[in-house]
Amino acid sequence: GPDEYLEQLQRLKQAVAVPVIASLNGYTEGGWIDFAKRIDAAGADALELNLYSVATDPGESAEELESRAVAIVGNVVRAVSLPVAVKLSPFHTSLANFALRLEDQGIAGLVLFNRFFEPDVDVDAREVRPHLELSDSRELGLRLRWLALLSGVVRCGLAVSGGVHTAHDALKAVMCGAHAVQVVASLVRGGPPKLAELRDGVSAWLEDNGCASLRQIRGSLDRTRSPDPKTLERVHYMRLLQTYRMDTP
């Protein structure tokens, strides 16, 4: 619950030297603001607003839904002294426009993307049941596309969430414009040693390729700098289908 979360946040702040970023998924506008203030007071170094909602009301337009989200984000930003990032869903009619509207509210970063837990169906029991599968590297492609499309368009930081499991996954994200990667599923599977594995793998690649830091490659393949930016769009779809060959044993 909320009180236990705040207590855990305070314990983490006392235990570690690295920044601690809190996450908040609210329901009402008052709830978003009130709990954001409590997280600020508890000592978090930054706050991630998790805009996790499923649009199910057929009477509510995309404009109404997005305007409400933008208003909530703006009010939270003004209510706290913390840097605020917003974790987005990919399901927006014009994601680039929505990102710019959020940036205008003073956010420090965007995180791409939420993973919506999808239901499964037990056909024998005829029941809908909750279902969770951890991400794998195959989910990274959607994130890479939108990182590359937003990098150079927004001024705020960009992070990727979902699909980073190897050093090469992290490097791909940085090349497309990411300033940070989130690796929850990797840590669930591999524990804290996974962090050292990823860090060492990235460092080895940089050294092998004569790069002094990640800054040298960050955004090198985004839409503004890619040698073929059309690969980020739909233009190659038919060519991919026509040239696809199934692997044979």
Side-chain angles (χ1 to χ4, degrees), residues 37-38 50 75 86 127 166 232:
K37 289 180 177 178
R38 294 174 68 186
N50 196 344
N75 288 333
V86 177
E127 293 178 346
T166 68
L232 299 169

Side-chain angles (χ1 to χ4, degrees), residues 8 17 22 46 57 62 91 94 97 105 107 113 124 129 144 158 161 164 168 180-181 223 229 232 235:
Q8 176 79 324
D57 183 357
F91 306 120
S94 180
N97 176 267
Q105 299 302 312
I107 63 172
F113 289 112
D124 295 318
R129 294 186 174 177
L144 296 180
L158 293 170
S161 175
V164 176
H168 278 189
V181 298
R223 182 167 61 177
L232 299 169
V235 67

Side-chain angles (χ1 to χ4, degrees), residues 152-196:
V153 174
V154 298
R155 300 179 302 278
C156 64
L158 293 170
V160 61
S161 175
V164 176
H165 291 264
T166 68
H168 278 189
D169 291 338
L171 288 161
K172 291 176 186 179
V174 174
M175 288 177 181
C176 288
H179 298 84
V181 298
Q182 296 183 356
V183 289
V184 176
S186 292
L187 297 184
V188 171
R189 290 191 177 105
K194 185 68 177 181
L195 290 173

